[in-house]
Amino acid sequence: MTHQATSPLPVVVLISGSGSNLQAIIDAAQRQEIDIEIKAVISNRPAVAGLERAQRAGIETYVVDHTQFADRRSFDTALAQVIDRHQPGLVILAGFMRILTQEFVEHYLGRMLNIHPSLLPNFQGLNTHQRAIDAGVSEHGVSVHFVTPELDGGPVVRRASVPVLPNDSADTLAARVLKQEHRIYPEAVGLFAAGRLKLQDNVAQLDGQPIAQLPRTAE
Ligand code: GRF
């Protein structure tokens, strides 16, 4: 289903926790650097800081608490109902810590982005900073990608790399990566809102040109 680019592009943001990426996107929208309107922020966990960030910005918030559902499928169905009420042209996963069903992902294919703290396709999954340190890589980073049924596997639309320093801990490395997250996520959302980013046959394109993907190297 293709969605005509509208201005501002209505978006829904899904969170699970602090919402620092949400905040970066709110700030970029308020500075009119990106042409979106955040119609709703939905958390799968109650009382997280990200909900307060949204409320402070006057954005509607919802909690769809995954512990209240018997299985993944019924949670995803309830979540999609809340999302679709707002008819978003883009769904943004921002620190959203749920594995989504294939059906849910396919419903939003081509209009759902996620941010993952590694240079994909390396270090998919959790604890990426400690794994990068343990693997002895000299470079780490963050990737914004289209969400496809492969967990953390969708084509990357924007990435940023940071050095891994000899005395880095997972926390110091995570903090260096997070700064880059807050820079590139608003950029990626802005490009999508401008109609410049597309997912075509599982290839991410910027202005009609395929975006180069990294080879799998580490681990
Ligand atoms: C970030 O490291 C992000 O890459 C990951 O979740 C962490 C927290 O994000 N997806 P946020 O502060 O809740 O946006």
Short mmCIF file of all heavy atoms in Angstrom, two decimals, residues 14-24 50 53 93-97 114-118 128-129 141-143 174 177-178 181-182 185, ligand 1:
data_model
loop_
_atom_site.label_atom_id
_atom_site.label_comp_id
_atom_site.label_asym_id
_atom_site.label_seq_id
_atom_site.Cartn_x
_atom_site.Cartn_y
_atom_site.Cartn_z
N LEU A 14 6.27 4.54 18.55
CA LEU A 14 6.14 3.49 19.55
C LEU A 14 7.38 3.49 20.43
O LEU A 14 8.51 3.51 19.93
CB LEU A 14 5.97 2.11 18.89
CG LEU A 14 4.87 1.94 17.83
CD1 LEU A 14 4.76 0.48 17.43
CD2 LEU A 14 3.55 2.47 18.32
N ILE A 15 7.18 3.46 21.73
CA ILE A 15 8.29 3.48 22.69
C ILE A 15 8.10 2.40 23.74
O ILE A 15 7.02 1.80 23.86
CB ILE A 15 8.39 4.86 23.40
CG1 ILE A 15 7.11 5.12 24.20
CG2 ILE A 15 8.68 5.97 22.41
CD1 ILE A 15 7.24 6.32 25.15
N SER A 16 9.18 2.18 24.53
CA SER A 16 9.07 1.24 25.67
C SER A 16 9.71 1.82 26.92
O SER A 16 9.64 1.20 27.98
CB SER A 16 9.78 -0.08 25.35
OG SER A 16 9.19 -0.73 24.26
N GLY A 17 10.42 2.99 26.74
CA GLY A 17 11.19 3.44 27.92
C GLY A 17 11.45 4.92 27.93
O GLY A 17 10.53 5.72 27.85
N SER A 18 12.74 5.29 27.96
CA SER A 18 13.11 6.69 28.23
C SER A 18 12.64 7.63 27.12
O SER A 18 12.29 8.78 27.36
CB SER A 18 14.62 6.82 28.40
OG SER A 18 15.26 6.65 27.17
N GLY A 19 12.64 7.15 25.87
CA GLY A 19 12.12 8.02 24.81
C GLY A 19 13.08 9.13 24.39
O GLY A 19 12.66 10.17 23.91
N SER A 20 14.38 8.91 24.56
CA SER A 20 15.32 9.98 24.15
C SER A 20 15.31 10.16 22.64
O SER A 20 15.46 11.27 22.14
CB SER A 20 16.72 9.68 24.66
OG SER A 20 17.30 8.60 23.96
N ASN A 21 15.10 9.08 21.90
CA ASN A 21 14.99 9.22 20.44
C ASN A 21 13.69 9.92 20.08
O ASN A 21 13.66 10.73 19.15
CB ASN A 21 15.07 7.85 19.76
CG ASN A 21 16.51 7.39 19.60
OD1 ASN A 21 17.23 7.93 18.76
ND2 ASN A 21 16.94 6.45 20.40
N LEU A 22 12.63 9.60 20.80
CA LEU A 22 11.35 10.32 20.61
C LEU A 22 11.59 11.81 20.82
O LEU A 22 11.15 12.64 20.02
CB LEU A 22 10.31 9.81 21.61
CG LEU A 22 9.07 10.68 21.80
CD1 LEU A 22 8.22 10.70 20.52
CD2 LEU A 22 8.23 10.20 22.99
N GLN A 23 12.30 12.15 21.87
CA GLN A 23 12.54 13.57 22.20
C GLN A 23 13.29 14.25 21.07
O GLN A 23 12.97 15.38 20.67
CB GLN A 23 13.35 13.70 23.50
CG GLN A 23 13.43 15.14 24.02
CD GLN A 23 12.06 15.69 24.42
OE1 GLN A 23 11.42 15.13 25.33
NE2 GLN A 23 11.59 16.73 23.76
N ALA A 24 14.27 13.57 20.51
CA ALA A 24 15.05 14.17 19.40
C ALA A 24 14.14 14.43 18.20
O ALA A 24 14.26 15.46 17.52
CB ALA A 24 16.18 13.21 19.01
N GLY A 50 9.25 8.24 28.50
CA GLY A 50 8.88 8.67 27.15
C GLY A 50 7.45 9.19 27.08
O GLY A 50 7.14 10.09 26.28
N ARG A 53 7.49 12.73 28.22
CA ARG A 53 8.04 13.61 27.16
C ARG A 53 6.95 13.97 26.15
O ARG A 53 6.81 15.12 25.75
CB ARG A 53 9.19 12.90 26.43
CG ARG A 53 10.44 12.60 27.25
CD ARG A 53 11.43 11.88 26.37
NE ARG A 53 12.56 11.29 27.05
CZ ARG A 53 13.72 11.92 27.27
NH1 ARG A 53 13.85 13.19 26.92
NH2 ARG A 53 14.72 11.29 27.85
N LEU A 93 9.57 3.23 15.34
CA LEU A 93 9.92 2.47 16.56
C LEU A 93 11.12 3.18 17.18
O LEU A 93 12.16 3.32 16.54
CB LEU A 93 10.27 1.02 16.20
CG LEU A 93 9.24 0.24 15.37
CD1 LEU A 93 9.71 -1.20 15.17
CD2 LEU A 93 7.87 0.28 16.00
N ALA A 94 10.94 3.67 18.40
CA ALA A 94 12.01 4.46 19.04
C ALA A 94 12.27 3.88 20.42
O ALA A 94 11.60 4.22 21.40
CB ALA A 94 11.57 5.92 19.13
N GLY A 95 13.21 2.95 20.49
CA GLY A 95 13.47 2.28 21.76
C GLY A 95 12.30 1.36 22.11
O GLY A 95 11.95 1.15 23.25
N PHE A 96 11.67 0.83 21.08
CA PHE A 96 10.51 -0.06 21.25
C PHE A 96 11.03 -1.48 21.35
O PHE A 96 11.61 -1.99 20.39
CB PHE A 96 9.54 0.08 20.08
CG PHE A 96 8.24 -0.67 20.25
CD1 PHE A 96 7.34 -0.32 21.25
CD2 PHE A 96 7.92 -1.73 19.40
CE1 PHE A 96 6.15 -1.01 21.41
CE2 PHE A 96 6.72 -2.42 19.56
CZ PHE A 96 5.84 -2.07 20.56
N MET A 97 10.86 -2.10 22.53
CA MET A 97 11.55 -3.36 22.80
C MET A 97 10.61 -4.55 22.69
O MET A 97 10.46 -5.32 23.61
CB MET A 97 12.20 -3.30 24.19
CG MET A 97 13.10 -2.11 24.39
SD MET A 97 14.34 -1.91 23.10
CE MET A 97 15.62 -2.97 23.71
N ASN A 114 12.94 1.65 12.27
CA ASN A 114 13.46 1.31 13.60
C ASN A 114 14.88 1.82 13.69
O ASN A 114 15.55 2.03 12.68
CB ASN A 114 13.43 -0.21 13.80
CG ASN A 114 13.92 -0.60 15.20
OD1 ASN A 114 13.55 0.01 16.20
ND2 ASN A 114 14.77 -1.62 15.26
N ILE A 115 15.31 2.01 14.94
CA ILE A 115 16.71 2.39 15.16
C ILE A 115 17.35 1.28 15.99
O ILE A 115 16.75 0.77 16.91
CB ILE A 115 16.83 3.75 15.86
CG1 ILE A 115 18.29 4.22 15.85
CG2 ILE A 115 16.27 3.76 17.29
CD1 ILE A 115 18.45 5.70 16.04
N HIS A 116 18.54 0.87 15.55
CA HIS A 116 19.22 -0.24 16.23
C HIS A 116 20.66 0.18 16.51
O HIS A 116 21.35 0.61 15.58
CB HIS A 116 19.18 -1.50 15.36
CG HIS A 116 19.85 -2.67 15.99
ND1 HIS A 116 19.27 -3.40 17.00
CD2 HIS A 116 21.07 -3.21 15.77
CE1 HIS A 116 20.12 -4.36 17.38
NE2 HIS A 116 21.22 -4.26 16.66
N PRO A 117 21.11 0.01 17.76
CA PRO A 117 22.44 0.51 18.13
C PRO A 117 23.57 -0.43 17.72
O PRO A 117 24.28 -1.01 18.55
CB PRO A 117 22.34 0.64 19.65
CG PRO A 117 21.35 -0.38 20.07
CD PRO A 117 20.38 -0.52 18.93
N SER A 118 23.73 -0.57 16.38
CA SER A 118 24.91 -1.27 15.85
C SER A 118 25.02 -0.91 14.37
O SER A 118 24.11 -0.30 13.81
CB SER A 118 24.77 -2.80 15.98
OG SER A 118 23.96 -3.32 14.92
N THR A 128 24.30 -4.85 22.29
CA THR A 128 25.20 -4.69 21.15
C THR A 128 26.52 -4.04 21.54
O THR A 128 27.55 -4.37 20.96
CB THR A 128 24.53 -3.80 20.07
OG1 THR A 128 24.32 -2.49 20.63
CG2 THR A 128 23.20 -4.38 19.63
N HIS A 129 26.49 -3.15 22.54
CA HIS A 129 27.72 -2.42 22.86
C HIS A 129 28.73 -3.35 23.53
O HIS A 129 29.89 -3.39 23.14
CB HIS A 129 27.39 -1.23 23.78
CG HIS A 129 26.27 -0.38 23.25
ND1 HIS A 129 26.33 0.28 22.04
CD2 HIS A 129 25.04 -0.09 23.74
CE1 HIS A 129 25.20 0.93 21.83
NE2 HIS A 129 24.41 0.72 22.85
N GLY A 141 28.41 1.57 16.08
CA GLY A 141 27.57 2.68 15.62
C GLY A 141 26.09 2.37 15.72
O GLY A 141 25.67 1.55 16.54
N VAL A 142 25.33 3.00 14.85
CA VAL A 142 23.87 2.91 14.91
C VAL A 142 23.32 2.91 13.49
O VAL A 142 23.91 3.52 12.58
CB VAL A 142 23.29 4.10 15.72
CG1 VAL A 142 23.76 5.43 15.20
CG2 VAL A 142 21.76 4.04 15.74
N SER A 143 22.19 2.21 13.34
CA SER A 143 21.54 2.11 12.03
C SER A 143 20.05 2.40 12.14
O SER A 143 19.40 1.87 13.05
CB SER A 143 21.71 0.69 11.47
OG SER A 143 23.07 0.28 11.52
N ALA A 174 27.82 3.19 24.71
CA ALA A 174 26.39 3.43 24.45
C ALA A 174 26.09 4.93 24.42
O ALA A 174 25.31 5.40 23.58
CB ALA A 174 25.54 2.75 25.53
N VAL A 177 27.21 6.33 21.17
CA VAL A 177 26.29 5.91 20.09
C VAL A 177 24.98 6.69 20.18
O VAL A 177 24.46 7.18 19.17
CB VAL A 177 26.01 4.39 20.16
CG1 VAL A 177 24.88 3.98 19.23
CG2 VAL A 177 27.29 3.61 19.83
N LEU A 178 24.48 6.86 21.40
CA LEU A 178 23.17 7.52 21.58
C LEU A 178 23.18 8.94 20.99
O LEU A 178 22.20 9.38 20.40
CB LEU A 178 22.80 7.54 23.07
CG LEU A 178 21.32 7.74 23.42
CD1 LEU A 178 20.43 6.67 22.78
CD2 LEU A 178 21.11 7.76 24.93
N GLU A 181 22.51 8.58 17.52
CA GLU A 181 21.11 8.18 17.29
C GLU A 181 20.24 9.43 17.18
O GLU A 181 19.40 9.55 16.30
CB GLU A 181 20.61 7.31 18.44
CG GLU A 181 21.33 5.98 18.58
CD GLU A 181 20.73 5.10 19.64
OE1 GLU A 181 19.54 5.20 19.93
OE2 GLU A 181 21.49 4.29 20.19
N HIS A 182 20.46 10.34 18.10
CA HIS A 182 19.63 11.55 18.19
C HIS A 182 19.87 12.48 17.01
O HIS A 182 19.06 13.36 16.73
CB HIS A 182 19.88 12.28 19.52
CG HIS A 182 19.54 11.45 20.70
ND1 HIS A 182 20.02 11.71 21.96
CD2 HIS A 182 18.78 10.34 20.82
CE1 HIS A 182 19.57 10.80 22.80
NE2 HIS A 182 18.81 9.95 22.13
N TYR A 185 18.34 9.82 13.56
CA TYR A 185 16.94 9.39 13.47
C TYR A 185 16.06 10.53 12.92
O TYR A 185 15.33 10.32 11.94
CB TYR A 185 16.41 8.84 14.80
CG TYR A 185 15.42 7.69 14.63
CD1 TYR A 185 14.96 6.97 15.72
CD2 TYR A 185 14.94 7.32 13.36
CE1 TYR A 185 14.06 5.90 15.57
CE2 TYR A 185 14.04 6.27 13.21
CZ TYR A 185 13.62 5.57 14.31
OH TYR A 185 12.73 4.52 14.16
C1 GRF B 1 18.61 3.18 22.35
O1 GRF B 1 19.91 2.67 22.48
C2 GRF B 1 18.04 2.70 21.03
O2 GRF B 1 19.04 2.46 20.06
C3 GRF B 1 17.42 1.41 21.39
O3 GRF B 1 16.81 1.67 22.65
C4 GRF B 1 17.69 2.54 23.39
C5 GRF B 1 16.87 3.54 24.18
O4 GRF B 1 16.22 4.39 23.30
N1 GRF B 1 16.48 0.99 20.38
P1 GRF B 1 15.29 5.62 23.83
O5 GRF B 1 16.14 6.47 24.73
O6 GRF B 1 14.13 5.00 24.60
O7 GRF B 1 14.88 6.32 22.57
#
